[in-house]
Amino acid sequence: DSKFIAFWQSDERQVPIYKLTDYKGFDEKYDSLPYPRVGDANPTVRIGVIEIANGKNQWMKVDLEDGYIPRIYWTNQEGQLALMHLNRKQNRLRLFMANGRTGEARQVMEETAKTWVDVFDFFAGINHLMYFPAGVNEFYWLSDRDGFAHLYRYDYSGKLLNAVTSGPWEVTYVHHVDAKNRKVYFTSTEVSPLERQLFVADIDGKNKRRLTNTPGRHNVNVAPRVDAPGVDAPGTADRGDGPTKGNGLFYIDRYSNTTTPTQVELWDTKGTKIKVLEANSRVSDFVGKNAIANKELVNFTTSDGQKIDISIVKPVDFDQNKKYPVMLDIYGGPGAQSVYNDFSTSGWHQYLAQQGYVIVSVNNRGSGGYGRDFEKVVYEQLGKFESLDFAETAKYLAARPWVDAGRM
């Protein structure tokens, strides 16, 4: 409401200085910055709130305890700030509600984990896993407490009202909470960990409905509600239904799959495609006229019983009676996912395929999208299960008659 400004103040004077060397130019350049390594002193951080009307600054009364304040959020109540506190080991999260005028704070929620508590998803570009919608004294928290990332609904006292989602799959992105019409729009892996599909559900978890139906990886932008007379879907005639209804939201869907280049479409949540914004016909024409190696999606089971998804790009003139060298193109994680049901645009992979290589990527243990135990098994033992899954992938490939097992 533009009545307050909240900010972080960070004091790094006690943090040791870390030396850096920049090798980009002909001559090296040296730089330094405060950087706390294991056991070093952390920066001292506190949260301030300035009331615009009088310019007064008030510090929020939350003890840092050698931890972090990774996120702060304004709530639906005037002057009330939510502060997320994370201990240094990052396995205990506490949420405080603070009065911006007095600084008084009360803890309303706590979550602990045997591994770590996520507060954002770096690789997916998702900076927030907690949501404070306007118009209602509630917040939503994306947690993997039951083994998979699901959405939980709380009131401002910290009382858990209900789980919005549940099941052996993950909510990966909360696009919009429509508090007025009690709807939540989110992307999940319910169809497959290799896909991202858009769903809508009531805030009490009922009436879940899938909105995107084309197989593949969907990247969605959901528009907020517009409560204005005469507002209709772009490109449609006036329906005479007055203000936009709760299911009159629109979204832009950017998706692809292994055989379909990126498509960009405008939809409404009633299921009507309003307009194709980009069909990428030039890409489709090029693919149809040139030798392009599409990736194949395959899975196998490791010797210790874990199912692993991989992608395989074969030479365009692939002959199953020949043997081919293999390159494993991997990224271990944690949290990253290398294999999706999406259109391959890697020029490097295409070049290698043209040179007669088979290129394989792996969703090894430590990858995101498969649940807490699959991803966080790497806790305090980075490299163990990732390397095991890479070795198991090589073993699986070596048994294929078209793989040159001595050239991987």
Side-chain angles (χ1 to χ4, degrees), residues 326-351:
V326 173
M327 188 194 77
L328 284 174
D329 188 3
I330 58 177
Y331 185 89
Q337 186 172 337
S338 299
V339 180
Y340 292 94
N341 180 12
D342 60 5
F343 193 73
S344 177
T345 58
S346 171
W348 172 235
H349 287 182
Q350 292 299 318
Y351 171 77

Side-chain angles (χ1 to χ4, degrees), residues 4 11 134 154-155 211 223 237 277 314 347 386:
F4 300 88
D11 183 351
Y154 291 83
D155 66 18
L211 297 178
L277 302 176
K314 298 175 180 176
E386 302 95 318

Side-chain angles (χ1 to χ4, degrees), residues 14-27:
Q14 303 302 314
V15 179
I17 300 299
Y18 188 80
K19 301 292 185 180
L20 299 171
T21 305
D22 184 349
Y23 294 101
K24 286 188 297 185
F26 181 78
D27 296 313

Side-chain angles (χ1 to χ4, degrees), residues 1 3-4 51 74-81 99-101:
D1 57 10
K3 295 181 179 179
F4 300 88
E51 188 169 3
W74 287 115
T75 70
N76 188 56
Q77 294 183 353
E78 180 182 299
Q80 180 172 270
L81 187 69
N99 186 309
R101 290 191 173 95

